[in-house]
Amino acid sequence: MTASTERPPPDLSGGGLGATRRVGDRVFAALTTGAGVLVLALIVAIGAFLLTKAIPAVQKDSTNFFTTKLWQPDNDPSVFGIAALVFGTLLSSIIALVVAGPIAIGIALYISDYAPRRLATPIGYLVDLLAAVPSVVYGLWGLLFLAPHSDKFQQFLSDHFGFIPLFDLGKNGVVGRSMMIASLVLAIMILPIVAAISREIFLQVPQANREAALALGATKLEMIRLAVLPYSKSGVVGALMLGLGRALGETIAVALVLSLSYSTSFHIIDANVGGNTIAANIASQYQAAEPLGQRALIASGLVLFVITFAVNALARYVVTRSGKRAAAV
Amino acid sequence: MSAPSLLDQLPGLGDQARRLHAPVRLALLALTVLVSLLLFASTPLQGRVDFVVFVVIAFALVQTGVSFALEGRRHALDRLVSLLVHLALLAAVVPLVSVLSYTVYKGLKKLDGQFLTHNLTGLGPLDTNGGEYHAIIGTLEQVLMATAIAVPLGLLVAIYITEYGKGWLAAAVRFVIDVMTGIPSIVAGLFVFAFWVIGLHRGYSGLAAAFSLTILMLPVVVRSSEEMIKLVPAELREASYALGLPKWKTILRIVLPTASAGITTGTMLAVARVTGETAPLLLTSFITPATNTSPIAGKQTAIPTFIFSQIGLGRPANYDRAWAAALTLIIIVLVLYISARLLTRRNTLTRR
Amino acid sequence: MKVMRTGQLAGLTLVGALALTACSGNNTPTTNPSASGTGTAGCATGSLSGQGSTFQANAELQWAKDYAAKCAGASVTYEGTGSGAGKTAFGNGTAEFGGTDSLPKPEEQAAADKRCGTGNKGIVTPIVAGAVVLTYHLDGVAKLTLSATTVAKIFEGTITKWDDPAIKADNAGATLPSTTIVTVHRNDKSGTTNIFSSWLDKNDPADWKLGAAETLTWPGGQSAKGSDGVTGAVAGAKGGITYTELSFAKAQNLPVADIKNAAGTTVTPNATSVSAALGTATVDTSKGDIRITPDYATKTSAAYPLAAPSYVLTCDKGNKSAALLKGYLTYALTDGTAVLDGLGYAPLPDAIATQAKTQVATLS
């Protein structure tokens, strides 16, 4: 999970003292190349197979697949679309990122610059533990502990900040298994990945830069703003995007916590409004789906695949570039 | 704020400003708590959580205010950010502790020998006994199979990337591995479902689940192995080549053994990650109340899907089973995770 | 590497430990005192797997347990996966029988016929009857009566508080709190949703605009998956109300509302009122099996209108483990009826039950 400086291994492809390449070498080289090609083939196959099952389903859709908010693929005529699902996927992930991002960056800074030396690594591991907890356990906890215990908090938001549309409960609203609770669970889940990558990026900033800033009499905050952030900005952006990618695809926790619906509402604390994500919709609809329904779900999965692929590819690009720059300082 | 203007404000060495020392800050905290207690006792404010939140906000305000008056703007800001950074850590630790402790508290109620050695067959709708034996079997088989496929394949890919790969193909493989770490697990499940379960009419099976887990494990194994192989000192290889060993033997006999501790760590972390996966299993091995020891045919419950289906049933007895299984799962995952970390400390190849 | 070996050793020990408990982990069936019928008449050995409708799941689970206790060597499993999934699973051969609340659609019928082999066909047999009830979570209100119109308005979202005049009118003299109503509906495809919406559609099409189908476009309200899911959600939400099978409400210890039927009588859902309702249903035997169309607007004063049968889908001939299937289904229709009331189901009306038993006897 690190964007390390790449130190190329010594190239001694001749191998050994004898100049002729032996059969063993050729076989082994072919084997490893084959494995590499297999990975490429796998990702192409994933896209291709989802596509072959998705296209016929979308053709049978009696409405526009991209703009319809309903999901009734097994009805006659078949009606389904990903509009509400994409909306919910993006909304929940963005809220999760807005909550988790600053916290994760704070944790990363704590480990790189604030924690006592001996504690930094163990605390890093502790935060990583958050990533070790299985998503179904987060779902269970979110459903049976977090949601019931945050009724008061959500009611508070509605009472005092209800003028902000996000926290407007309306006349018939009810707090509970709302979009916000689902997003908070997502936030906890993406916290460790954003924190871990940001931490690596911060640690790559040479110590000398920090010392120079401190020598000028900078406070710790000024040191961070002078010596750390300028060299890690794009890396942190990449880390946030990787966190976003993780949130977009999270399935079980959302499916368990959120009251699923096909709405496109910004009233995130109203459980009567609820919401849905592409992944959670697959988990909840899959079991009862008939053949066309299953293929419709595959089509929605393909959309998720494309979105996360794009987000992750961009994030990796940004992280790698930033890693190289920070190390080159 | 741009960097030069900030630089201009720096006082240089020998900053002799008055400082807010630790004992003073402690006193401020005590004062804040005391006043908050009084407020909570005499006004409509109430609740333990509310109290903590109130104290934290009040202390942040008080400390920043006092610091501003005594030390000036720069130090006040510095203290505020320092407090926020510590709170950020707290914001991660609180949910972690909450999830773990609540699971232990709820899970212990039901987790016993009976629960571990029975499945869910032969139970009436109102029975509260039964257990997760079949799910443990399922998880073991599926994860072992996934590991057996992903580790050799992952090692080969890692060797390809570090030792053989050149040009666009190597770059493409590296890129794909990077992106694969971000593939949503449900998409991996959907692929195996589309390709294997309904595409090739193989039906649900532990093997299908293992395939989907392999897709999720592979990039983790590749990346960690790649890192470790790169850390093997060049001198070792050179010595091996000097002794006349061909490259492939050098890799198998010298490079991999040297990196093995690190590779094992990476593998264990990958295993820990996929052991908790639920979504792909729903689509590939599905759920059954019976024990299915066959890894290659028929529906097979794993611990995560056991939890998911029990939550869906929604009665108190089902929640008890779900919590007990969640505790089992957390124990398995944490044991894997912590032993992997302990192994890291023994690892002689370190970057820093 | 020493560390690796210890790791492998630990792994082996774990596998070994589990292998040592070498058993299937099956629970030993114990005889249910409420299940009548002893002796081993109608017993067959082997294993049988069914899946589908969650409507009949609780009854199936109890029968499977009791049948195994009665008949040594017989193992029946049933998984409540939903009617659609049950028909699909039967069609592609992954289940020996399917449970379904809805009659097979043409393509489902075709898949079932194909599975049964040339010359054979898939047939449905009613196995149990049940009531779809309105169950709610409202502290201090143990008794509640609702009319179709009120229910329609509640689920349409036009009635939003429990002390709404319309609810008060249905419950003269009752004290109702001003709690906000939390409606909970199924978010998966569901035969239960079909029964519920058909009832509203038949009785009050003016107020109920969502039509009758297995999935609806809900104007709001919370949702959950499966009969268990919605009842669980109501159990966890003050002010909650949902529609589900009586057995699930009973399992959660939730109160159940009485319904004002088309005759204007207030009826409690129970075995008698459900059987009374199905007594007025139309039975179609023209397809070589038994297909029932309930009358959701029945004018019989003792009838609870939200009543429906649930079917098993089997082959007429060419069933796998036919002897066990016959033995088990016969048990369900005879001795098995003793457990139904306790679980919140109703036996089929006598006329239909006789037809069903005759049909099961011909399975092979």
Side-chain angles (χ1 to χ4, degrees), chain B residues 179-241:
Chain B
V179 173
M180 266 178 89
T181 54
I183 287 191
S185 57
I186 191 122
V187 170
L190 269 183
F191 165 64
V192 175
F193 175 73
F195 172 67
W196 184 262
V197 177
I198 58 169
L200 296 177
H201 302 289
R202 294 307 170 99
Y204 300 114
S205 69
L207 185 63
F211 286 151
S212 64
L213 296 183
T214 302
I215 296 175
L216 300 172
M217 265 183 93
L218 196 63
V220 188
V221 173
V222 173
R223 285 193 64 88
S224 61
S225 309
E226 183 191 346
E227 296 274 318
M228 287 302 136
I229 290 173
K230 277 187 196 157
L231 292 176
V232 175
E235 295 82 0
L236 274 181
R237 295 164 207 257
E238 284 154 14
S240 165
Y241 292 146

Side-chain angles (χ1 to χ4, degrees), chain A residues 70-72 74-75 171-177 258-262 271-274 283-291 294, chain C residues 80-81 84-85 88 105 107-108 157 160-161 180-183 185 187-189 213-217 220-225 233:
Chain A
L70 297 173
W71 196 267
Q72 295 165 351
D74 290 322
N75 279 13
K171 186 161 63 70
N172 306 323
V174 177
V175 296
R177 305 185 300 135
L258 187 58
S259 169
L260 300 180
S261 71
Y262 297 94
N272 264 348
V273 167
S284 67
Q285 299 301 312
Y286 161 75
Q287 209 171 23
E290 290 164 25
Q294 288 178 340
Chain C
T81 52
T88 309
K105 291 190 234 170
E107 64 271 22
E108 289 167 339
T160 60
K161 299 282 179 198
T180 303
I181 299 179
V182 180
T183 60
H185 56 256
N187 61 28
D188 50 346
K189 215 159 78 74
E214 290 186 320
T215 48
L216 300 173
T217 310
Q222 300 191 26
S223 77
K225 182 168 169 290

Side-chain angles (χ1 to χ4, degrees), chain C residues 289-325:
Chain C
D289 54 9
I290 307 158
R291 305 190 175 208
I292 300 167
T293 314
D295 177 8
Y296 294 116
T298 175
K299 293 266 198 271
T300 311
S301 73
Y304 180 81
L306 275 145
S310 193
Y311 305 87
V312 286
L313 174 59
T314 62
C315 299
D316 57 350
K317 292 188 289 292
N319 284 298
K320 287 183 208 156
S321 21
L324 180 58
L325 183 66

Side-chain angles (χ1 to χ4, degrees), chain C residues 45-286:
Chain C
T45 55
S47 67
L48 187 67
S49 86
Q51 68 157 289
S53 154
T54 51
F55 187 111
Q56 55 177 282
N58 284 342
E60 292 276 2
L61 289 175
Q62 190 68 50
W63 291 332
K65 181 187 172 188
D66 295 344
Y67 188 71
K70 181 187 164 201
C71 300
S75 154
V76 182
T77 57
Y78 184 85
E79 289 165 57
T81 52
S83 295
K87 285 179 282 189
T88 309
F90 178 76
N92 64 27
T94 51
E96 269 88 63
F97 69 93
T100 176
D101 311 331
S102 51
L103 295 165
K105 291 190 234 170
E107 64 271 22
E108 289 167 339
Q109 183 68 52
D113 293 347
K114 195 174 156 213
R115 174 237 155 99
C116 291
T118 333
N120 307 334
K121 59 183 179 22
I123 56 167
V124 290
T125 312
I127 196 79
V128 70
V132 171
V133 299
L134 274 306
T135 182
Y136 57 96
H137 180 171
L138 200 56
D139 295 337
V141 182
K143 216 174 143 39
L144 190 70
T145 303
L146 296 171
S147 62
T149 307
T150 314
V151 173
K153 285 180 178 164
I154 288 176
F155 280 84
E156 284 269 16
T158 46
I159 294 182
T160 60
K161 299 282 179 198
W162 276 107
D163 59 355
D164 189 279
I167 304 181
K168 279 186 170 163
D170 284 346
N171 298 272
T175 344
L176 293 163
S178 64
T179 319
T180 303
I181 299 179
V182 180
T183 60
V184 182
H185 56 256
R186 295 278 293 265
N187 61 28
D188 50 346
K189 215 159 78 74
S190 154
T192 315
T193 305
N194 189 34
I195 297 168
F196 174 70
S197 53
S198 301
W199 169 65
L200 290 173
D201 197 45
K202 282 266 158 49
N203 285 280
D204 189 3
D207 287 303
W208 183 252
K209 308 246 177 5
L210 306 185
E214 290 186 320
T215 48
L216 300 173
T217 310
W218 297 94
Q222 300 191 26
S223 77
K225 182 168 169 290
S227 301
D228 328 82
V230 286
T231 29
V234 166
K238 282 205 174 65
I241 182 166
T242 192
Y243 56 91
T244 187
E245 296 81 15
L246 179 57
S247 66
F248 288 92
K250 276 200 169 176
Q252 278 278 15
N253 281 321
L254 286 170
V256 165
D258 293 343
I259 295 293
K260 243 182 218 148
N261 66 15
T265 327
T266 301
V267 193
T268 306
N270 56 32
T272 324
S273 59
V274 167
S275 293
L278 285 188
T280 66
T282 336
V283 180
D284 172 16
T285 52
S286 66

Side-chain angles (χ1 to χ4, degrees), chain A residues 7-224:
Chain A
R7 182 156 61 93
D11 187 6
L12 291 169
S13 44
L17 291 173
T20 47
R21 287 183 54 149
R22 301 171 206 199
V23 181
D25 264 343
R26 246 178 285 156
V27 170
F28 197 64
L31 203 63
T32 56
T33 312
V37 172
L38 188 68
V39 169
L40 284 185
L42 184 66
I43 203 100
V44 175
I46 292 178
F49 257 93
L50 296 183
L51 200 62
T52 54
K53 301 280 174 194
I55 287 176
V58 173
Q59 281 169 344
K60 281 194 190 143
D61 192 354
S62 68
T63 56
N64 187 319
F65 178 65
F66 293 100
T67 55
T68 304
K69 290 194 206 170
L70 297 173
W71 196 267
Q72 295 165 351
D74 290 322
N75 279 13
D76 192 21
S78 185
V79 176
F80 61 95
I82 49 166
L85 303 179
V86 170
F87 174 87
T89 306
L90 294 179
L91 180 64
S92 62
S93 302
I94 288 168
I95 298 171
L97 195 64
V98 167
V99 174
I103 296 177
I105 293 168
I107 294 168
L109 280 177
Y110 178 83
I111 292 169
S112 69
D113 286 270
Y114 283 84
R117 247 168 191 280
R118 300 181 133 271
L119 283 183
T121 311
I123 286 179
Y125 287 167
L126 191 72
V127 174
D128 286 349
L129 268 189
L130 273 175
V133 175
S135 58
V136 69
V137 177
Y138 277 120
L140 182 62
W141 174 79
L143 176 69
L144 297 183
F145 181 85
L146 186 63
H149 284 85
S150 41
D151 279 0
K152 226 175 105 182
F153 169 62
Q154 296 196 74
Q155 196 65 53
F156 173 85
L157 281 181
S158 154
D159 291 348
H160 296 89
F161 299 94
F163 57 88
I164 305 171
L166 281 179
F167 304 133
D168 182 10
L169 207 46
K171 186 161 63 70
N172 306 323
V174 177
V175 296
R177 305 185 300 135
S178 63
M179 193 59 137
M180 190 176 76
I181 295 302
S183 306
L184 285 183
V185 173
L186 279 182
I188 297 170
M189 297 178 72
I190 64 171
L191 200 60
I193 181 177
V194 181
I197 299 172
S198 310
R199 178 183 77 206
E200 291 293 325
I201 304 263
F202 292 152
L203 285 173
Q204 275 175 16
V205 174
Q207 209 54 38
N209 290 25
R210 294 187 164 92
E211 281 155 11
L214 289 176
L216 290 172
T219 63
K220 200 159 241 177
L221 172 64
E222 287 160 350
M223 178 270 278
I224 288 168

Side-chain angles (χ1 to χ4, degrees), chain B:
Chain B
M1 184 171 304
S2 64
S5 65
L6 186 56
L7 272 174
D8 292 343
Q9 296 171 23
L10 298 182
L13 286 176
D15 175 17
Q16 295 297 327
R18 279 176 297 175
R19 304 305 299 268
L20 208 55
H21 294 288
V24 183
R25 279 184 289 153
L26 216 62
L28 280 179
L29 179 63
L31 194 70
T32 317
V33 172
L34 206 68
V35 173
S36 312
L37 270 177
L38 280 174
L39 276 176
F40 270 65
S42 56
T43 62
L45 291 167
Q46 52 176 321
R48 263 177 294 177
V49 179
D50 303 36
F51 178 74
V52 174
V53 173
F54 186 85
V55 166
V56 166
I57 295 173
F59 178 67
L61 291 175
V62 168
Q63 187 193 254
T64 312
V66 173
S67 171
F68 189 87
L70 279 181
E71 302 175 306
R73 199 182 60 88
R74 292 175 48 231
H75 289 280
L77 260 180
D78 185 46
R79 292 207 185 285
L80 179 63
V81 170
S82 172
L83 184 69
L84 288 180
V85 163
H86 284 80
L87 285 178
L89 182 67
L90 203 64
V93 172
V94 165
L96 179 66
V97 171
S98 171
V99 170
L100 295 183
S101 60
Y102 199 64
T103 308
V104 170
Y105 164 69
K106 287 286 197 176
L108 282 179
K109 214 168 125 188
K110 184 88 185 131
L111 188 60
D112 51 19
Q114 203 270 342
F115 189 73
L116 290 172
T117 54
H118 287 76
N119 60 23
L120 290 176
T121 54
L123 297 179
L126 304 180
D127 289 337
T128 56
N129 52 327
E132 56 166 352
Y133 175 78
H134 59 311
I136 297 176
I137 298 283
T139 288
L140 267 185
E141 288 188 359
Q142 291 166 12
V143 171
L144 278 178
M145 281 190 291
T147 312
I149 307 170
V151 170
L153 186 60
L155 273 180
L156 284 176
V157 176
I159 292 169
Y160 171 74
I161 293 177
T162 51
E163 308 277 341
Y164 290 98
K166 286 198 196 74
W168 69 270
L169 185 62
V173 171
R174 196 175 286 133
F175 171 77
V176 163
I177 288 290
D178 273 352
V179 173
M180 266 178 89
T181 54
I183 287 191
S185 57
I186 191 122
V187 170
L190 269 183
F191 165 64
V192 175
F193 175 73
F195 172 67
W196 184 262
V197 177
I198 58 169
L200 296 177
H201 302 289
R202 294 307 170 99
Y204 300 114
S205 69
L207 185 63
F211 286 151
S212 64
L213 296 183
T214 302
I215 296 175
L216 300 172
M217 265 183 93
L218 196 63
V220 188
V221 173
V222 173
R223 285 193 64 88
S224 61
S225 309
E226 183 191 346
E227 296 274 318
M228 287 302 136
I229 290 173
K230 277 187 196 157
L231 292 176
V232 175
E235 295 82 0
L236 274 181
R237 295 164 207 257
E238 284 154 14
S240 165
Y241 292 146
L243 289 172
L245 252 67
K247 185 173 180 180
W248 68 280
K249 271 195 179 159
T250 305
I251 294 170
L252 287 183
R253 298 256 176 91
I254 309 290
V255 176
L256 287 187
T258 314
S260 70
I263 292 173
T264 312
T265 303
T267 305
M268 287 171 79
L269 290 178
V271 170
R273 181 187 160 192
V274 299
T275 304
E277 278 298 345
T278 315
L281 305 189
L282 280 179
L283 300 158
T284 51
S285 64
F286 211 62
I287 301 156
T288 168
T291 309
N292 175 10
T293 50
S294 163
I296 51 166
K299 287 178 271 189
Q300 194 179 44
T301 307
I303 304 177
T305 45
F306 176 91
I307 301 171
F308 183 72
S309 63
Q310 288 298 319
I311 300 172
L313 294 177
R315 284 183 288 267
N318 301 117
Y319 286 148
D320 288 347
R321 285 186 197 136
W323 282 115
L327 180 55
T328 328
L329 190 60
I330 281 197
I331 291 173
I332 294 174
V333 170
L334 287 193
V335 164
L336 278 168
Y337 189 84
I338 291 168
S339 24
R341 287 304 184 201
L342 291 178
L343 212 63
T344 317
R345 292 174 55 184
R346 295 200 194 182
N347 187 359
T348 45
L349 299 170
T350 40
R351 256 187 304 156
R352 277 187 289 278

